[in-house]
Amino acid sequence: MKKNIDDFFTNEIRTVAIAGHVNPDGDCVGSVTALFLYIQKHFPDISVKLYLEQPKEDLMFLVKPIRAIFEKPAAQKVDLFVTCDVSSFDRIGLAGELFEEAGRTLCIDHHVSNTGFAEETVLVPDVSSCAEVLFYMMEEGKIDLGIAEALYTGMIHDSGVFQYKNTRPETLEAAAALLRKGIDFSSIIDNSFNTRTYVQNRVMGHVLEGCRMYGDGLIVAGSITYEEMDQFGATKKDLDMIVAQLRLTKGVEAAVFVYQTDENEFKVSLRSNNVLNVANVAGKFGGGGHVRAAGCTIEGDVDYAERVIVAAIMAELGVS
Ligand code: AMP
Ligand code: MN
Ligand code: MN
């Protein structure tokens, strides 16, 4: 698949915009930061801007120093627009209009559900993270300490620090190459992945306490509404590790986490352990993702959202 990222920055490209996906996670923030730093360092004549929804505090160490733009950009045509970790156009979020007006568009991604929305796509679905895809596109000699930190952050977040099934021998070889750049990997893991705030611990405890089992113990589901989030002073940024914890419930194949995103709208996060293709399940509700980690949005109340998603999983697993 080796496609050199440098080949996209041809002479006529003077302005580049980079964007990640809505509700940016560690892979998204790590990938866009690595690409931004790479362009800044190796293509100093290109004017590059990074547009991103503001990530949670634990990931701000990446984007703070490079002055990422957290607002909707003023209409301004760029020569090349690059998305990282974005599987469909509607997930670009605040920079969507800029994408539509760009001279050229490039999508770098690893989602099996990628819709092919850009003119050019570098998609490697069996790779752990978008950061790992980017690693293969960059010449190793051109990866400096800052780029290595950003790529490593992306890789650990989507692979659960090399524990999930998307970790391949090549993933660890890529991580080894990044370690050789001298990154402080244990601090990155602790500060951006392992640490939980008091609020995050309490809100996770609340969801775990109320979670329910279905399908003879094959499915576990937890949920939270705005009202409950308010009780803990939590926002959606405090919820992203809950589904990972639910997945660890002994005996379950599928974990479901439902959380409120609007008055009558709920986001569903899905994880599976061995056989269930959750990208297929999410796809039935207009979402997508990966075989073992996917998501979608459901309109209705919290009980309805949980009921329909659990029913879809049961049908897929052939249990009642
Ligand atoms: P999450 O459960 O939000 O952590 O998402 C798990 C995976 O599914 C990530 O790779 C997301 O990019 C993807 N994903 C989540 N929600 C959606 C959605 N509505 N549409 C497409 N992909 C999604
Ligand atoms: Mn992502
Ligand atoms: Mn990703």
Side-chain angles (χ1 to χ4, degrees):
M1 80 103 182
K2 186 79 182 171
K3 242 191 182 157
N4 195 322
I5 189 78
D6 293 9
D7 296 344
F8 293 97
F9 307 125
T10 45
N11 278 341
E12 69 277 14
I13 303 293
R14 314 310 304 168
T15 51
V16 173
I18 304 172
H21 60 72
V22 288
N23 209 3
D25 52 23
D27 182 31
C28 171
V29 181
S31 301
V32 294
T33 303
L35 182 59
F36 182 93
L37 291 171
Y38 187 90
I39 296 172
Q40 215 177 33
K41 178 163 184 150
H42 300 295
F43 297 89
D45 295 337
I46 291 179
S47 159
V48 55
K49 288 200 169 81
L50 168 58
Y51 299 99
L52 195 69
E53 198 180 293
Q54 184 158 348
K56 63 176 181 170
E57 193 51 41
D58 301 351
L59 295 167
M60 285 299 284
F61 75 101
L62 290 174
V63 286
K64 234 183 222 159
I66 59 174
R67 295 200 304 272
I69 300 162
F70 301 131
E71 288 143 26
K72 193 173 156 60
Q76 177 201 18
K77 195 170 147 60
V78 293
D79 297 331
L80 175 65
F81 193 112
V82 190
T83 66
C84 295
D85 203 36
V86 178
S87 55
S88 56
F89 173 73
D90 56 307
R91 288 180 59 80
I92 299 177
L94 45 81
E97 275 172 41
L98 205 59
F99 176 94
E100 286 180 303
E101 283 169 15
R104 285 172 63 190
T105 56
L106 166 65
C107 164
I108 302 171
D109 190 28
H110 70 128
H111 289 89
V112 65
S113 61
N114 189 291
T115 57
F117 62 94
E119 269 163 31
E120 288 176 278
T121 304
V122 179
L123 174 68
V124 195
D126 53 353
V127 162
S128 73
S129 49
C130 183
E132 189 182 338
V133 178
L134 261 179
F135 171 82
Y136 299 126
M137 296 178 76
M138 293 174 177
E139 280 168 38
E140 224 174 292
K142 290 186 169 180
I143 297 176
D144 66 12
L145 182 65
I147 298 167
E149 279 171 353
L151 291 175
Y152 188 81
T153 306
M155 284 171 54
I156 61 164
H157 276 258
D158 263 21
S159 68
V161 197
F162 313 114
Q163 294 179 63
Y164 304 155
K165 289 210 162 66
N166 58 9
T167 304
R168 302 164 309 132
E170 292 81 359
T171 315
L172 296 173
E173 280 155 11
L178 299 175
L179 257 57
R180 282 192 200 98
K181 301 286 177 184
I183 60 170
D184 183 356
F185 57 92
S186 33
S187 294
I188 296 176
I189 294 169
D190 267 352
N191 298 338
S192 81
F193 191 80
N194 287 334
T195 315
R196 305 274 183 281
T197 63
Y198 180 62
V199 167
Q200 287 162 357
N201 270 336
R202 291 193 70 227
V203 79
M204 184 186 292
H206 174 76
V207 174
L208 297 181
E209 188 180 25
C211 72
R212 295 154 290 277
M213 298 289 266
Y214 297 96
D216 244 356
L218 280 177
I219 304 165
V220 63
S223 64
I224 194 160
T225 60
Y226 273 163
E227 200 180 325
E228 293 168 290
M229 283 158 72
D230 285 348
Q231 277 170 30
F232 293 92
T235 70
K236 66 178 180 187
K237 290 180 185 168
D238 296 311
L239 307 176
D240 62 349
M241 292 312 292
I242 295 177
V243 73
Q245 186 62 40
L246 287 168
R247 181 187 71 86
L248 298 175
T249 312
K250 203 160 188 137
V252 306
E253 170 56 23
V256 177
F257 176 52
V258 178
Y259 61 95
Q260 193 161 10
T261 46
D262 211 333
E263 198 180 332
N264 203 36
E265 182 189 279
F266 288 81
K267 170 78 202 285
V268 179
S269 279
L270 299 172
R271 300 292 184 269
S272 66
N273 277 317
N274 294 302
V275 293
L276 180 69
N277 183 335
V278 285
N280 278 350
V281 177
K284 291 190 172 130
F285 299 91
H290 309 284
V291 178
R292 302 276 170 258
C296 58
T297 294
I298 293 179
E299 309 245 315
D301 66 21
V302 63
D303 294 333
Y304 172 78
E306 182 170 319
R307 195 168 66 243
V308 292
I309 204 84
V310 168
I313 294 172
M314 284 193 179
E316 197 85 6
L317 287 173
V319 295
S320 52

